[in-house]
Amino acid sequence: MAMPRFSPRTLPRLLTALVALLSLGVLFPAPALSVPRPVPHRSAAVVTVEMRSFAFIPPFVTVQRGDSVRWVNNEDVGIDHTATSDGPGWDSGRLTPGQSFTHVFETPGVFSYHCALHSQMTGTVTVR
């Protein structure tokens, strides 16, 4: 197959047209720029933990930063409980049946807690 012949004046014009097409992105278009989308605002959640039958139910919960955990004393008999952080953090004080306590978690981590009145009652909150 023979190559087409160009006159000496045609070659510079072809090269100029090629450069123009390349600079405009016609021959090799640039990848589309991704425009960051705003992250939809997530409403803070409230996770409920029951105090029932001398246990925290569920004993392990996972929440996002800014979410709350609400402990509710649902004992059938008149037994008080607490939700007390193992370290610095929170203490509900005595909760009689029907009372609740809510704590907002702002810091990521794993937080163990217990009932100050019943040592067998333990739980963990994981904050992401």
Side-chain angles (χ1 to χ4, degrees), residues 21-37:
L21 290 174
L22 286 172
S23 67
L24 292 174
V26 173
L27 292 179
F28 300 103
L33 296 177
S34 63
V35 177
R37 294 184 193 185

mmCIF file with all atom_site columns, all heavy atoms in Angstrom, residues 21-37:
data_model
loop_
_atom_site.group_PDB
_atom_site.id
_atom_site.type_symbol
_atom_site.label_atom_id
_atom_site.label_alt_id
_atom_site.label_comp_id
_atom_site.label_asym_id
_atom_site.label_entity_id
_atom_site.label_seq_id
_atom_site.pdbx_PDB_ins_code
_atom_site.Cartn_x
_atom_site.Cartn_y
_atom_site.Cartn_z
_atom_site.occupancy
_atom_site.B_iso_or_equiv
_atom_site.pdbx_formal_charge
_atom_site.auth_seq_id
_atom_site.auth_comp_id
_atom_site.auth_asym_id
_atom_site.auth_atom_id
_atom_site.pdbx_PDB_model_num
ATOM 1   N N   . LEU A 1 21 ? -6.338  19.910 17.035 1.00 0.00 ? 21 LEU A N   1
ATOM 2   C CA  . LEU A 1 21 ? -7.272  18.884 17.488 1.00 0.00 ? 21 LEU A CA  1
ATOM 3   C C   . LEU A 1 21 ? -6.836  18.269 18.814 1.00 0.00 ? 21 LEU A C   1
ATOM 4   O O   . LEU A 1 21 ? -7.662  18.012 19.700 1.00 0.00 ? 21 LEU A O   1
ATOM 5   C CB  . LEU A 1 21 ? -7.420  17.798 16.423 1.00 0.00 ? 21 LEU A CB  1
ATOM 6   C CG  . LEU A 1 21 ? -8.167  18.211 15.153 1.00 0.00 ? 21 LEU A CG  1
ATOM 7   C CD1 . LEU A 1 21 ? -8.102  17.082 14.118 1.00 0.00 ? 21 LEU A CD1 1
ATOM 8   C CD2 . LEU A 1 21 ? -9.612  18.554 15.468 1.00 0.00 ? 21 LEU A CD2 1
ATOM 9   N N   . LEU A 1 22 ? -5.533  18.055 18.974 1.00 0.00 ? 22 LEU A N   1
ATOM 10  C CA  . LEU A 1 22 ? -5.038  17.512 20.233 1.00 0.00 ? 22 LEU A CA  1
ATOM 11  C C   . LEU A 1 22 ? -5.262  18.494 21.377 1.00 0.00 ? 22 LEU A C   1
ATOM 12  O O   . LEU A 1 22 ? -5.665  18.119 22.475 1.00 0.00 ? 22 LEU A O   1
ATOM 13  C CB  . LEU A 1 22 ? -3.548  17.163 20.122 1.00 0.00 ? 22 LEU A CB  1
ATOM 14  C CG  . LEU A 1 22 ? -3.219  15.922 19.306 1.00 0.00 ? 22 LEU A CG  1
ATOM 15  C CD1 . LEU A 1 22 ? -1.712  15.800 19.109 1.00 0.00 ? 22 LEU A CD1 1
ATOM 16  C CD2 . LEU A 1 22 ? -3.749  14.684 19.992 1.00 0.00 ? 22 LEU A CD2 1
ATOM 17  N N   . SER A 1 23 ? -4.996  19.774 21.137 1.00 0.00 ? 23 SER A N   1
ATOM 18  C CA  . SER A 1 23 ? -5.155  20.766 22.200 1.00 0.00 ? 23 SER A CA  1
ATOM 19  C C   . SER A 1 23 ? -6.616  20.969 22.579 1.00 0.00 ? 23 SER A C   1
ATOM 20  O O   . SER A 1 23 ? -6.929  21.320 23.705 1.00 0.00 ? 23 SER A O   1
ATOM 21  C CB  . SER A 1 23 ? -4.524  22.102 21.788 1.00 0.00 ? 23 SER A CB  1
ATOM 22  O OG  . SER A 1 23 ? -5.248  22.677 20.714 1.00 0.00 ? 23 SER A OG  1
ATOM 23  N N   . LEU A 1 24 ? -7.528  20.741 21.662 1.00 0.00 ? 24 LEU A N   1
ATOM 24  C CA  . LEU A 1 24 ? -8.952  20.855 21.961 1.00 0.00 ? 24 LEU A CA  1
ATOM 25  C C   . LEU A 1 24 ? -9.518  19.580 22.587 1.00 0.00 ? 24 LEU A C   1
ATOM 26  O O   . LEU A 1 24 ? -10.656 19.552 23.030 1.00 0.00 ? 24 LEU A O   1
ATOM 27  C CB  . LEU A 1 24 ? -9.739  21.172 20.684 1.00 0.00 ? 24 LEU A CB  1
ATOM 28  C CG  . LEU A 1 24 ? -9.495  22.557 20.080 1.00 0.00 ? 24 LEU A CG  1
ATOM 29  C CD1 . LEU A 1 24 ? -10.228 22.671 18.757 1.00 0.00 ? 24 LEU A CD1 1
ATOM 30  C CD2 . LEU A 1 24 ? -9.965  23.641 21.037 1.00 0.00 ? 24 LEU A CD2 1
ATOM 31  N N   . GLY A 1 25 ? -8.716  18.531 22.616 1.00 0.00 ? 25 GLY A N   1
ATOM 32  C CA  . GLY A 1 25 ? -9.174  17.282 23.194 1.00 0.00 ? 25 GLY A CA  1
ATOM 33  C C   . GLY A 1 25 ? -10.105 16.507 22.303 1.00 0.00 ? 25 GLY A C   1
ATOM 34  O O   . GLY A 1 25 ? -10.841 15.652 22.784 1.00 0.00 ? 25 GLY A O   1
ATOM 35  N N   . VAL A 1 26 ? -10.097 16.791 21.023 1.00 0.00 ? 26 VAL A N   1
ATOM 36  C CA  . VAL A 1 26 ? -11.001 16.098 20.109 1.00 0.00 ? 26 VAL A CA  1
ATOM 37  C C   . VAL A 1 26 ? -10.516 14.683 19.850 1.00 0.00 ? 26 VAL A C   1
ATOM 38  O O   . VAL A 1 26 ? -11.299 13.731 19.873 1.00 0.00 ? 26 VAL A O   1
ATOM 39  C CB  . VAL A 1 26 ? -11.155 16.886 18.790 1.00 0.00 ? 26 VAL A CB  1
ATOM 40  C CG1 . VAL A 1 26 ? -11.946 16.078 17.781 1.00 0.00 ? 26 VAL A CG1 1
ATOM 41  C CG2 . VAL A 1 26 ? -11.807 18.227 19.055 1.00 0.00 ? 26 VAL A CG2 1
ATOM 42  N N   . LEU A 1 27 ? -9.222  14.519 19.636 1.00 0.00 ? 27 LEU A N   1
ATOM 43  C CA  . LEU A 1 27 ? -8.707  13.183 19.328 1.00 0.00 ? 27 LEU A CA  1
ATOM 44  C C   . LEU A 1 27 ? -8.577  12.323 20.577 1.00 0.00 ? 27 LEU A C   1
ATOM 45  O O   . LEU A 1 27 ? -8.896  11.139 20.571 1.00 0.00 ? 27 LEU A O   1
ATOM 46  C CB  . LEU A 1 27 ? -7.348  13.283 18.622 1.00 0.00 ? 27 LEU A CB  1
ATOM 47  C CG  . LEU A 1 27 ? -7.395  13.883 17.217 1.00 0.00 ? 27 LEU A CG  1
ATOM 48  C CD1 . LEU A 1 27 ? -5.995  13.952 16.633 1.00 0.00 ? 27 LEU A CD1 1
ATOM 49  C CD2 . LEU A 1 27 ? -8.283  13.041 16.314 1.00 0.00 ? 27 LEU A CD2 1
ATOM 50  N N   . PHE A 1 28 ? -8.081  12.882 21.654 1.00 0.00 ? 28 PHE A N   1
ATOM 51  C CA  . PHE A 1 28 ? -7.907  12.169 22.914 1.00 0.00 ? 28 PHE A CA  1
ATOM 52  C C   . PHE A 1 28 ? -8.533  13.006 24.025 1.00 0.00 ? 28 PHE A C   1
ATOM 53  O O   . PHE A 1 28 ? -7.849  13.768 24.689 1.00 0.00 ? 28 PHE A O   1
ATOM 54  C CB  . PHE A 1 28 ? -6.419  11.920 23.211 1.00 0.00 ? 28 PHE A CB  1
ATOM 55  C CG  . PHE A 1 28 ? -5.746  11.101 22.169 1.00 0.00 ? 28 PHE A CG  1
ATOM 56  C CD1 . PHE A 1 28 ? -4.920  11.690 21.215 1.00 0.00 ? 28 PHE A CD1 1
ATOM 57  C CD2 . PHE A 1 28 ? -5.933  9.730  22.107 1.00 0.00 ? 28 PHE A CD2 1
ATOM 58  C CE1 . PHE A 1 28 ? -4.288  10.934 20.253 1.00 0.00 ? 28 PHE A CE1 1
ATOM 59  C CE2 . PHE A 1 28 ? -5.309  8.975  21.138 1.00 0.00 ? 28 PHE A CE2 1
ATOM 60  C CZ  . PHE A 1 28 ? -4.486  9.571  20.204 1.00 0.00 ? 28 PHE A CZ  1
ATOM 61  N N   . PRO A 1 29 ? -9.832  12.883 24.203 1.00 0.00 ? 29 PRO A N   1
ATOM 62  C CA  . PRO A 1 29 ? -10.479 13.726 25.205 1.00 0.00 ? 29 PRO A CA  1
ATOM 63  C C   . PRO A 1 29 ? -9.945  13.429 26.601 1.00 0.00 ? 29 PRO A C   1
ATOM 64  O O   . PRO A 1 29 ? -9.638  12.282 26.920 1.00 0.00 ? 29 PRO A O   1
ATOM 65  C CB  . PRO A 1 29 ? -11.960 13.376 25.095 1.00 0.00 ? 29 PRO A CB  1
ATOM 66  C CG  . PRO A 1 29 ? -12.040 12.157 24.266 1.00 0.00 ? 29 PRO A CG  1
ATOM 67  C CD  . PRO A 1 29 ? -10.745 11.985 23.535 1.00 0.00 ? 29 PRO A CD  1
ATOM 68  N N   . ALA A 1 30 ? -9.829  14.472 27.391 1.00 0.00 ? 30 ALA A N   1
ATOM 69  C CA  . ALA A 1 30 ? -9.380  14.317 28.775 1.00 0.00 ? 30 ALA A CA  1
ATOM 70  C C   . ALA A 1 30 ? -10.480 13.614 29.563 1.00 0.00 ? 30 ALA A C   1
ATOM 71  O O   . ALA A 1 30 ? -11.660 13.744 29.252 1.00 0.00 ? 30 ALA A O   1
ATOM 72  C CB  . ALA A 1 30 ? -9.098  15.688 29.372 1.00 0.00 ? 30 ALA A CB  1
ATOM 73  N N   . PRO A 1 31 ? -10.094 12.854 30.576 1.00 0.00 ? 31 PRO A N   1
ATOM 74  C CA  . PRO A 1 31 ? -11.125 12.218 31.387 1.00 0.00 ? 31 PRO A CA  1
ATOM 75  C C   . PRO A 1 31 ? -11.985 13.277 32.075 1.00 0.00 ? 31 PRO A C   1
ATOM 76  O O   . PRO A 1 31 ? -11.506 14.361 32.395 1.00 0.00 ? 31 PRO A O   1
ATOM 77  C CB  . PRO A 1 31 ? -10.334 11.402 32.415 1.00 0.00 ? 31 PRO A CB  1
ATOM 78  C CG  . PRO A 1 31 ? -8.943  11.923 32.368 1.00 0.00 ? 31 PRO A CG  1
ATOM 79  C CD  . PRO A 1 31 ? -8.755  12.570 31.024 1.00 0.00 ? 31 PRO A CD  1
ATOM 80  N N   . ALA A 1 32 ? -13.231 12.956 32.256 1.00 0.00 ? 32 ALA A N   1
ATOM 81  C CA  . ALA A 1 32 ? -14.145 13.906 32.894 1.00 0.00 ? 32 ALA A CA  1
ATOM 82  C C   . ALA A 1 32 ? -13.692 14.178 34.315 1.00 0.00 ? 32 ALA A C   1
ATOM 83  O O   . ALA A 1 32 ? -13.284 13.278 35.032 1.00 0.00 ? 32 ALA A O   1
ATOM 84  C CB  . ALA A 1 32 ? -15.557 13.335 32.897 1.00 0.00 ? 32 ALA A CB  1
ATOM 85  N N   . LEU A 1 33 ? -13.735 15.421 34.687 1.00 0.00 ? 33 LEU A N   1
ATOM 86  C CA  . LEU A 1 33 ? -13.376 15.789 36.049 1.00 0.00 ? 33 LEU A CA  1
ATOM 87  C C   . LEU A 1 33 ? -14.518 15.394 36.969 1.00 0.00 ? 33 LEU A C   1
ATOM 88  O O   . LEU A 1 33 ? -15.679 15.626 36.663 1.00 0.00 ? 33 LEU A O   1
ATOM 89  C CB  . LEU A 1 33 ? -13.126 17.295 36.147 1.00 0.00 ? 33 LEU A CB  1
ATOM 90  C CG  . LEU A 1 33 ? -11.953 17.833 35.335 1.00 0.00 ? 33 LEU A CG  1
ATOM 91  C CD1 . LEU A 1 33 ? -11.887 19.347 35.467 1.00 0.00 ? 33 LEU A CD1 1
ATOM 92  C CD2 . LEU A 1 33 ? -10.657 17.204 35.820 1.00 0.00 ? 33 LEU A CD2 1
ATOM 93  N N   . SER A 1 34 ? -14.160 14.779 38.076 1.00 0.00 ? 34 SER A N   1
ATOM 94  C CA  . SER A 1 34 ? -15.214 14.417 39.017 1.00 0.00 ? 34 SER A CA  1
ATOM 95  C C   . SER A 1 34 ? -15.435 15.585 39.965 1.00 0.00 ? 34 SER A C   1
ATOM 96  O O   . SER A 1 34 ? -14.509 16.104 40.549 1.00 0.00 ? 34 SER A O   1
ATOM 97  C CB  . SER A 1 34 ? -14.838 13.162 39.792 1.00 0.00 ? 34 SER A CB  1
ATOM 98  O OG  . SER A 1 34 ? -13.691 13.404 40.552 1.00 0.00 ? 34 SER A OG  1
ATOM 99  N N   . VAL A 1 35 ? -16.659 15.970 40.050 1.00 0.00 ? 35 VAL A N   1
ATOM 100 C CA  . VAL A 1 35 ? -17.032 17.058 40.940 1.00 0.00 ? 35 VAL A CA  1
ATOM 101 C C   . VAL A 1 35 ? -17.521 16.425 42.228 1.00 0.00 ? 35 VAL A C   1
ATOM 102 O O   . VAL A 1 35 ? -18.433 15.595 42.212 1.00 0.00 ? 35 VAL A O   1
ATOM 103 C CB  . VAL A 1 35 ? -18.152 17.926 40.316 1.00 0.00 ? 35 VAL A CB  1
ATOM 104 C CG1 . VAL A 1 35 ? -18.591 19.008 41.273 1.00 0.00 ? 35 VAL A CG1 1
ATOM 105 C CG2 . VAL A 1 35 ? -17.683 18.496 38.997 1.00 0.00 ? 35 VAL A CG2 1
ATOM 106 N N   . PRO A 1 36 ? -16.887 16.768 43.362 1.00 0.00 ? 36 PRO A N   1
ATOM 107 C CA  . PRO A 1 36 ? -17.326 16.134 44.600 1.00 0.00 ? 36 PRO A CA  1
ATOM 108 C C   . PRO A 1 36 ? -18.772 16.501 44.924 1.00 0.00 ? 36 PRO A C   1
ATOM 109 O O   . PRO A 1 36 ? -19.169 17.645 44.798 1.00 0.00 ? 36 PRO A O   1
ATOM 110 C CB  . PRO A 1 36 ? -16.374 16.679 45.659 1.00 0.00 ? 36 PRO A CB  1
ATOM 111 C CG  . PRO A 1 36 ? -15.680 17.836 45.031 1.00 0.00 ? 36 PRO A CG  1
ATOM 112 C CD  . PRO A 1 36 ? -15.829 17.712 43.551 1.00 0.00 ? 36 PRO A CD  1
ATOM 113 N N   . ARG A 1 37 ? -19.523 15.490 45.282 1.00 0.00 ? 37 ARG A N   1
ATOM 114 C CA  . ARG A 1 37 ? -20.915 15.713 45.664 1.00 0.00 ? 37 ARG A CA  1
ATOM 115 C C   . ARG A 1 37 ? -20.957 15.985 47.162 1.00 0.00 ? 37 ARG A C   1
ATOM 116 O O   . ARG A 1 37 ? -20.208 15.392 47.922 1.00 0.00 ? 37 ARG A O   1
ATOM 117 C CB  . ARG A 1 37 ? -21.749 14.481 45.378 1.00 0.00 ? 37 ARG A CB  1
ATOM 118 C CG  . ARG A 1 37 ? -21.865 14.177 43.925 1.00 0.00 ? 37 ARG A CG  1
ATOM 119 C CD  . ARG A 1 37 ? -22.778 13.005 43.726 1.00 0.00 ? 37 ARG A CD  1
ATOM 120 N NE  . ARG A 1 37 ? -22.650 12.520 42.365 1.00 0.00 ? 37 ARG A NE  1
ATOM 121 C CZ  . ARG A 1 37 ? -23.386 11.564 41.877 1.00 0.00 ? 37 ARG A CZ  1
ATOM 122 N NH1 . ARG A 1 37 ? -24.293 10.976 42.625 1.00 0.00 ? 37 ARG A NH1 1
ATOM 123 N NH2 . ARG A 1 37 ? -23.219 11.171 40.639 1.00 0.00 ? 37 ARG A NH2 1
#
